[in-house]
Amino acid sequence: MKMLKNCSSRARAILSACFVILASQGAAQDGPPEIEAITDRGHLIVAMTSFDNPPFYFVDHGHLEGIDVTLAEDIGQALGVEVKFDRTAETFNDVVEKVRRGEADIAVSKISRTNTRARVVAFSRPYVRLHNALMFNRLKFAQNSKGRDLGDYVRNFDGALGVIENSSFATFALRRFPKATIIPFKTWEEVVEATVSGTVDAAYRDEFEVRRITVDRPDTSISLRTVTIADARDAISVVVRWDAPRLLAMVDQVIDDRPAELTADDVIALYRSKMTSEAGH
């Protein structure tokens, strides 16, 4: 009888130890690894381009502000951590690469969703949708269109088209304007100057960036003509690692909790407000 009691005690001890081990393993696996990695670190690493892109992100009196900054901070708050911005990327594609390589947890940097990028990273729901737009040199437009229907001329555009190199619109241009000669430039400012001077016939980007030129440089209305492409929209989303589904779900939830997707009119209004504020200082 004593032996049976001893065996029973040992069995209970072994079972108790097993339960402790299983419980500890279960606790260790309670949280998704990508979330735990961020919370253990104590901060969320967010990739952005090295250059400002107001009103999405810009430095104002020493502080980083803008639509994307607020969204990134909202995501950090949802995770219960601080946000640290990595602004070493020189291009939009470099920003995506930082997430793909695991150097940043997410990217919030006015990044457009493309099929090429979607092969290596995951995208959140869009938080801004913008139509595509063309900005024509007026003189070149008059010479080349020769009275053709505007829609037909745009659909079959075969002139020199300026884009930012390594950008989503460099990719979009190849598909949407197969007859055009695509001319890449390092910056949008260079694309605009090339269009004004007639070095290229037109520039291609989203409607906000095209409309912004009339705010920054109202004098260009004489030399430039803008056309919005109603059937082509650019979805601006947060970039997340492809192997971080729970982090992606949290980002989507934060976006869903926002009032609504921003439109070009919303973004232009924010940009005008920023310019007015700067003029007042």
Side-chain angles (χ1 to χ4, degrees), residues 44-106:
L44 177 73
I45 303 174
V46 179
M48 276 183 174
T49 61
S50 58
F51 53 87
D52 285 359
N53 199 346
F56 289 89
Y57 50 97
F58 57 95
V59 176
D60 184 25
H61 295 84
H63 296 285
L64 187 61
E65 298 181 4
I67 297 166
D68 288 4
V69 177
T70 300
L71 176 55
E73 290 174 343
D74 286 347
I75 295 168
Q77 185 176 20
L79 291 166
V81 297
E82 296 180 354
V83 175
K84 291 191 176 181
F85 294 95
D86 179 343
R87 302 199 63 191
T88 58
E90 294 297 324
T91 69
F92 294 108
N93 279 350
D94 289 343
V95 171
V96 175
E97 278 296 298
K98 279 192 169 291
V99 177
R100 184 189 69 80
R101 294 193 300 263
E103 296 170 12
D105 300 305
I106 63 173

Side-chain angles (χ1 to χ4, degrees), residues 155-166:
R155 282 191 298 272
N156 296 286
F157 180 71
D158 59 359
L161 185 62
V163 296
I164 303 173
E165 64 182 8
N166 295 319

Side-chain angles (χ1 to χ4, degrees), residues 96 112-123 239-240 242:
V96 175
S112 302
R113 297 195 304 192
T114 69
N115 293 336
T116 301
R117 291 170 177 171
R119 293 174 190 161
V120 294
V121 294
F123 284 100
V239 181
V240 182
W242 67 268

